[in-house]
């Protein structure tokens, strides 16, 4: 195992973790942004499988949240307000009338305190951040740590932990865009995805969940036995159309099953397995990605990457049948998502 670090902008440090199999993970202390992830294909060729900017400065005004830690609340909060114990809290709007991914100057746009570590079998970076009281309109001060760990089993673990001084709301995720073709050689249309989910949340025209949990059976949202992402990108299903030609939906994992997602790409042979103790995942297929962005492996385009945002849904603030995102003052938020890389 090896870990290196270099300064890329004023006070920005990029850490690169390398395991004994040649897998490399690069991340910034700014936003906890995962900038590059290099893994082998079936022939052993090492290539980057995540989207990131060619110029680090572009992360400062990034509306796509490439590779970033998202919080305090991942996802959209309708009308930028919520009620907690009879009190209404108003947040800042940053997507029409709504509040998206923690708002402006959220976790994706702060410099985190960073501490690296390594031993014979793993290397990682522990990121810590303390938000101010009432930051962005959220009640309480949140103390958050996110730890990235790469090991010799070709696992990348993201461990999230948080406490708060007051009862508040919180659900964290990572917003990495994956493309297993390597070095952005093609879109994600032929990526094969399977996940143990029987229901997803219906969206309205503003991409806000309606509270209806729709069955995946007989729809392009059925990934229980595996399905190509192209199934939703070329679909006339109203929900795929609303999302801009693809997916931007919250899938609820089946109860009493270990949440599991598998992704494979036939040309490279690369495979990615995702396990988590989160109750669901937003799968987003970069339906609105700007074509003009200069990425490390070429220009961006629609369907250039797919995000798997493991999290609870902020729709639970309105629809209480969904897993809650409320965090009590004496409680600890503790979640983990594991990405495992292999090929066939």
């Amino acid at each position: 195992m090896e870990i290196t670090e270099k300064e890329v902008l004023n006070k920005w440090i990029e850490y690169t973790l390398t395991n004994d199999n040649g897998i490399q993970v690069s991340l910034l202390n700014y936003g906890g942004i995962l900038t590059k992830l290099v893994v082998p294909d079936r022939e052993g060729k090492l290539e980057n499988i995540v989207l990131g900017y060619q110029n680090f400065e572009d992360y400062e005004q990034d509306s796509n949240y490439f590779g970033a830690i998202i919080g305090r609340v991942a996802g959209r909060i309708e009308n930028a307000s919520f009620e907690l114990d009879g009190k209404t809290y108003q947040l800042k709007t940053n997507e029409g009338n709504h509040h998206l991914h923690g708002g402006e100057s959220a976790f994706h746009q702060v410099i985190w305190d960073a501490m690296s570590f390594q031993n014979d079998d793993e290397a990682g970076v522990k990121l810590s951040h303390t938000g101010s009281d009432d930051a962005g309109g959220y009640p309480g001060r949140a103390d958050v740590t996110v730890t990235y760990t790469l090991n010799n089993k070709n696992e990348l673990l993201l461990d999230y932990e948080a406490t708060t001084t007051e009862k508040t709301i919180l659900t964290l995720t990572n917003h990495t865009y994956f493309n297993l073709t390597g070095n952005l050689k093609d879109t994600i249309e032929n990526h094969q995805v399977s996940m143990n989910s029987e229901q997803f949340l219906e969206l309205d025209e503003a991409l806000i969940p309606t509270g209806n949990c729709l069955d995946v059976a007989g729809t392009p949202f059925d990934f229980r036995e595996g399905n190509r992402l192209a199934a939703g990108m070329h679909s006339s299903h109203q929900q795929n159309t609303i999302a801009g030609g693809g997916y931007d939906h919250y899938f609820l994992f089946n109860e009493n099953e270990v949440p599991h997602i598998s992704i494979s790409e036939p040309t490279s042979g690369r495979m990615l397995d995702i396990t988590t103790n989160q109750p669901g995942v937003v799968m987003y297929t970069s339906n609105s990605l700007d074509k003009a962005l200069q990425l490390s492996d070429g220009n961006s385009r629609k369907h250039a990457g797919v995000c798997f945002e493991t999290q609870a849904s902020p729709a639970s603030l309105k629809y209480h049948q969904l897993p809650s995102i409320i965090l009590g003052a004496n409680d600890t938020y503790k979640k983990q998502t594991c990405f495992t890389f292999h090929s066939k």
Side-chain angles (χ1 to χ4, degrees):
M1 300 296 304
E2 181 183 1
I3 182 167
T4 61
E5 56 186 81
K6 64 178 180 179
E7 185 172 321
V8 293
L9 286 177
N10 184 32
K11 296 184 180 180
W12 290 20
I13 304 296
E14 184 181 45
Y15 297 85
T16 297
L17 319 173
T18 307
N19 74 2
D20 294 348
N21 305 311
I23 290 180
Q24 290 189 346
V25 177
S26 297
L27 64 130
L28 297 172
N29 60 345
Y30 177 79
I33 293 168
L34 202 161
T35 58
K36 187 170 288 189
L37 208 169
V38 176
V39 303
D41 65 6
R42 65 162 63 91
E43 305 297 332
K45 184 177 182 181
L46 293 165
E47 293 178 310
N48 179 39
I49 62 162
V50 301
L51 306 190
Y53 285 109
Q54 183 180 75
N55 301 310
F56 286 104
E57 293 88 345
D58 291 337
Y59 287 112
E60 291 186 285
Q61 303 295 328
D62 179 23
S63 61
N64 298 293
Y65 305 90
F66 283 133
I69 295 169
I70 304 299
R72 285 190 194 188
V73 172
R76 294 174 175 87
I77 296 179
E78 185 177 5
N79 295 322
S81 67
F82 65 95
E83 186 176 294
L84 192 61
D85 291 342
K87 181 179 178 180
T88 299
Y89 293 86
Q90 187 65 47
L91 307 174
K92 292 182 179 179
T93 60
N94 65 327
E95 190 187 57
N97 295 323
H98 310 299
H99 178 86
L100 175 66
H101 289 336
E104 297 178 359
S105 301
F107 291 169
H108 65 290
Q109 288 186 319
V110 299
I111 296 177
W112 294 63
D113 295 328
M115 181 179 66
S116 62
F117 59 89
Q118 70 179 100
N119 55 44
D120 289 343
D121 295 314
E122 63 181 25
V125 179
K126 182 177 182 179
L127 301 171
S128 304
H129 175 67
T130 299
S132 59
D133 287 299
D134 196 34
Y138 292 98
R141 184 186 73 245
D143 293 302
V144 181
T145 63
V146 181
T147 304
Y148 290 77
T149 306
L150 175 67
N151 62 34
N152 280 327
K153 294 186 287 186
N154 295 345
E155 296 173 335
L156 174 62
L157 296 98
L158 272 64
D159 288 283
Y160 305 86
E161 190 165 332
T163 57
T164 178
T165 56
E166 296 179 36
K167 189 175 184 179
T168 191
I169 61 173
L170 184 141
T171 183
L172 308 176
T173 195
N174 176 276
H175 209 281
T176 293
Y177 293 68
F178 292 95
N179 184 321
L180 301 184
T181 63
N183 292 352
L184 200 54
K185 285 194 291 293
D186 203 347
T187 67
I188 55 168
E189 289 197 22
N190 289 323
H191 283 46
Q192 183 88 1
V193 175
S194 64
M195 73 171 87
N196 56 345
S197 172
E198 295 179 353
Q199 291 186 317
F200 68 99
L201 292 185
E202 180 185 55
L203 299 178
D204 66 15
E205 296 286 346
L207 303 180
I208 301 294
T210 65
N212 293 328
C213 295
L214 303 181
D215 291 335
V216 301
T219 76
F221 294 81
D222 192 349
F223 291 93
R224 292 172 296 178
E225 301 297 326
N227 204 351
R228 289 170 63 237
L229 291 178
M233 296 172 185
H234 305 297
S235 165
S236 59
H237 192 288
Q238 183 192 28
Q239 284 296 296
N240 293 124
T241 302
I242 282 176
Y247 303 93
D248 193 5
H249 294 77
Y250 186 78
F251 292 79
L252 292 99
F253 293 130
N254 299 341
E255 291 186 16
N256 304 318
E257 292 185 46
V258 176
H260 188 87
I261 306 169
S262 292
I263 309 100
S264 61
E265 198 283 310
T267 303
S268 69
R270 290 188 179 93
M271 301 182 68
L272 168 59
D273 291 332
I274 304 172
T275 55
T276 185
N277 58 358
Q278 292 278 18
V281 62
V282 174
M283 185 170 71
Y284 172 56
T285 50
S286 53
N287 313 316
S288 57
L289 200 56
D290 191 325
K291 293 181 180 180
L293 302 177
Q294 291 185 330
L295 305 184
S296 59
D297 297 313
N299 285 350
S300 61
R301 50 184 156 164
K302 185 175 182 177
H303 300 151
V306 54
C307 300
F308 296 96
E309 303 160 54
T310 54
Q311 61 176 95
S313 174
S316 62
L317 295 168
K318 184 175 181 179
Y319 306 107
H320 303 305
Q321 74 273 22
L322 299 173
S324 175
I325 64 167
I326 295 172
L327 180 65
N330 297 316
D331 297 334
T332 299
Y333 176 94
K334 198 167 186 177
K335 298 294 182 181
Q336 183 186 80
T337 297
C338 177
F339 302 91
T340 305
F341 308 98
H342 53 109
S343 60
K344 67 173 182 179

